[in-house]
Structure formats: C-alpha cells, structure tokens
Amino acid sequence: MRLTPTVAGLGFLVAILAVVPVSFAGPPGRVVRVGLLYPIVPNFDPATNPFDRELVEGLRELGYVPGRDVVFEFRSAAEGGPTRLPSLAAELVASRVEMLVAPGTIAALEAAKVTKTVPVVMVGTSDPVETGLVASLAHPGGNVTGLAINGVEMAAKRVQLLKEAVPKCSRVAVLWNTTVKSMMLGFQMIEQAAPTLGVVIQSVRVAGSSDFDQAFEALERARPDGLIVLYGPLRGDDLPRIVEFVARHRIPTVFEPGQGVRGGGLMEFGPSQARMARRAAAYIDKIANGAQPGTLPVEEPSVFQLIINLKAAKAIGITLPPSILLRADRVIE
C-alpha cells in the first residue's frame, strides 16, 4: 500500500519497496574497518546510544565480534556543525576505512560528495533518488546504498496526525531546513496535502542555527494551531531550542522520531532509527564480503512508530481522541 495524503487512516504498515536479501556471509576473515560519520551525536557509545547499540548488535548477530572482526573509526560534526562533515568524511577516507556509515540525510549527502569509490551506507536518509544519492531504489548504482525514508510522504502523514489530534487545527506552521533538498520536497508535499486536509500552511524557513531567533519571532506572530518540524539539526543545541520553544508556547508539534517528545513535544511519527541501524549491519556484512554497493537495493522501512506525550497534551490543554491513542506505539505520561 502506498502512503498518500488522502488515504483514510494512517496506514502505519508500508510495503518494502526493495529489501536486502536475508542471507549473509559473516566475517570475511580479516578486521573490517568501518567509518562512522555522525552529524550531531558527539560520541560512539553503544552503552547509551540506541543507534550505536543496535548497529553493534546487528553485527553480532551476523557473527562479528567488535575489536576482533570489526573496528569503528568515528567522526562527529557535533562541534562546529555540518560544515565540518566534508573534512571529517575526507579524514575517514584517508584513514583507509572500507566503507562509511552515514546516519541521516545531511551526512549521507556530504559523504557522497567526498568519495565516489569508498562505499557509503546511508541510514535513514530521506528521498535518496530525488536528492541524487542513488539512481533508483532497486538499482542504486554508484557507491551509495542503505536504508532510506520516503520523507515526502512522511511529511504529509504528520499533517494528518496533527489534524486528527487537534480537530480544530486550521493553521499549521512548518519549520524546515532550506539547506536539505529532501526537506524542501517534504514541505512541498505538505503544501499539496493542505487543501484536502482543510489547513493553511505557513512556511518558517531556517538555513542555519543563527536563523532561529527570527523563526521563533515569526511563530510568535503567527500563533499557529500546530507545528510540523522537518529539520535536520545544523548544530547540537538546535533541537533543544526548538523543543523548549514549543513547550513554552504550548504549540502542538509533530517531530521526527527521537527528536521531540522527551523534551515536551506532543508527537513523533516515523520509522525507528534504531531498527534501521540494526538492518544496516546486513549492508556492512555484504560490502565487507565483496558486494558492490550499487548492486544492493535500497531498503525502506515497513513499520512506523507513533509516540505521544500525554503530559505535553495536558500542558497544551488538549484532549487527544481515543482513536489516535489506541494507535500509539508508546504513550508518555
């Protein structure tokens, strides 16, 4: 089933367009050196970071023992922002890693610009065909493959969720990062869905961390009924600033997974980054055993999570309908 803005209900289960075969080869008999290029997470820490933990556990399931069969070279743009990603990717390539693992759209795009030969395993990248990372999901071509999200359709589904949670919602602001093409596509999809859903869309654009004061002023003036955040943080403190703002101004807000509800956002909707990290292990295994990334189909998630913060709903002063609560994968009280 294809997700569209007019489909009744949320349709959390989506057909996988292209799936990596389940077979695996296991450790190739040498130490596999994997470069990790992270945009905002400061450290590689499987003990505390769910993404790192699932990546390591996925490799363990395939027979890899960290330190014996696989070692990680880690670089993060948490300090300095995404402008550092090209130089960090170049450092990893120069260190002779066998492949790069790039979580998120920004990291994958920058890694792909730096190297056309070292395989890049993207994880949770939005719309890789439209952004030019791969030729197609079934036949990526080039040196990039991995796990992708249809961010355009996910954006429209978040509007549906907001409308269902706040039925009187008629004015929806969209905070989006103009430096990422997939977010522009997502905003365009929201604009297309708006008339069908009976909402008016306000665009609030940011191109850097310095734009947030102006963006927040625009939101205060507009006083929207709800907010959609389509944003890949440019700096480590961007997300806390957004969450603090929406909580303080009691704006019902839908975030991407892992981005908002713990700090006071109302909802998160999308695929699990941790689940995708575990699936990324299959790509690492195949490439380590000689597979060419251009021949490995890009996988899209089949299960999407809805997380609701009831405490935030009470603080905002809204009562969520039972229909949406029953479909939630997790409710924070």
Side-chain angles (χ1 to χ4, degrees):
M1 180 178 66
R2 180 176 172 80
L3 282 175
T4 64
T6 57
V7 171
L10 290 173
F12 289 163
L13 296 180
V14 183
I16 297 177
L17 298 183
V19 183
V20 176
V22 296
S23 62
F24 64 92
R30 66 177 189 282
V31 177
V32 179
R33 301 183 69 248
V34 177
L36 303 177
L37 182 67
Y38 284 18
I40 59 171
V41 176
N43 299 298
F44 176 71
D45 187 357
T48 60
N49 186 333
F51 184 97
D52 298 339
R53 180 173 61 250
E54 294 300 314
L55 179 64
V56 170
E57 288 305 310
L59 286 167
R60 286 187 186 276
E61 288 180 352
L62 300 177
Y64 291 78
V65 176
R68 186 192 72 185
D69 304 300
V70 60
V71 296
F72 300 101
E73 290 287 340
F74 178 80
R75 298 291 188 279
S76 170
E79 294 184 9
T83 57
R84 294 193 62 213
L85 285 170
S87 62
L88 296 174
E91 286 182 17
L92 289 171
V93 171
S95 73
R96 299 186 181 278
V97 294
E98 293 187 38
M99 68 196 79
L100 298 177
V101 173
T105 304
I106 296 175
L109 286 168
E110 296 300 339
K113 290 176 185 177
V114 167
T115 179
K116 301 300 181 186
T117 56
V118 176
V120 176
V121 178
M122 58 184 176
V123 186
T125 300
S126 295
D127 310 296
V129 176
E130 289 79 1
T131 54
L133 278 168
V134 299
S136 71
L137 298 183
H139 304 285
N143 66 316
V144 180
T145 187
L147 298 107
I149 301 169
N150 191 324
V152 174
E153 294 189 348
M154 287 299 96
K157 296 307 295 183
R158 292 184 182 107
V159 182
Q160 286 185 269
L161 276 167
L162 189 57
K163 184 70 175 178
E164 186 172 353
V166 188
K168 294 182 179 180
C169 177
S170 61
R171 294 174 296 112
V172 176
V174 182
L175 179 66
W176 62 288
N177 181 350
T178 61
T179 65
V180 181
K181 184 178 179 181
S182 63
M183 295 181 189
M184 177 188 70
L185 296 169
F187 176 75
Q188 291 172 346
M189 187 69 174
I190 288 177
E191 283 190 310
Q192 294 171 19
T196 303
L197 297 172
V199 298
V200 175
I201 299 298
Q202 177 195 5
S203 173
V204 181
R205 305 181 180 194
V206 291
S209 298
S210 60
D211 295 340
F212 277 108
D213 288 340
Q214 184 176 351
F216 292 155
E217 289 174 5
L219 287 169
E220 288 187 69
R221 289 193 302 269
R223 301 176 63 85
D225 301 317
L227 175 67
I228 307 292
V229 176
L230 299 180
Y231 185 69
L234 296 167
R235 200 172 62 191
D237 63 347
D238 288 346
L239 183 60
R241 290 178 66 194
I242 299 171
V243 175
E244 189 277 333
F245 175 84
V246 300
R248 175 159 45 89
H249 290 273
R250 303 171 67 191
I251 303 174
T253 303
V254 182
F255 290 87
E256 295 181 334
Q259 288 199 353
V261 295
R262 289 186 180 180
L266 179 63
M267 288 185 287
E268 293 178 3
F269 175 67
S272 166
Q273 288 285 334
R275 186 189 296 264
M276 285 190 287
R278 185 175 285 254
R279 288 294 304 143
Y283 286 92
I284 294 174
D285 173 61
K286 289 181 177 297
I287 293 170
N289 283 282
Q292 295 300 310
T295 67
L296 298 176
V298 174
E299 181 178 326
E300 288 193 326
S302 59
V303 179
F304 296 85
Q305 294 182 328
L306 172 63
I307 303 174
I308 295 174
N309 187 335
L310 272 185
K311 184 177 180 180
K314 293 175 183 177
I316 294 169
I318 61 174
T319 300
L320 296 173
S323 59
I324 198 169
L325 291 173
L326 287 173
R327 291 201 303 279
D329 295 274
R330 184 156 59 96
V331 176
I332 300 174
E333 301 188 49

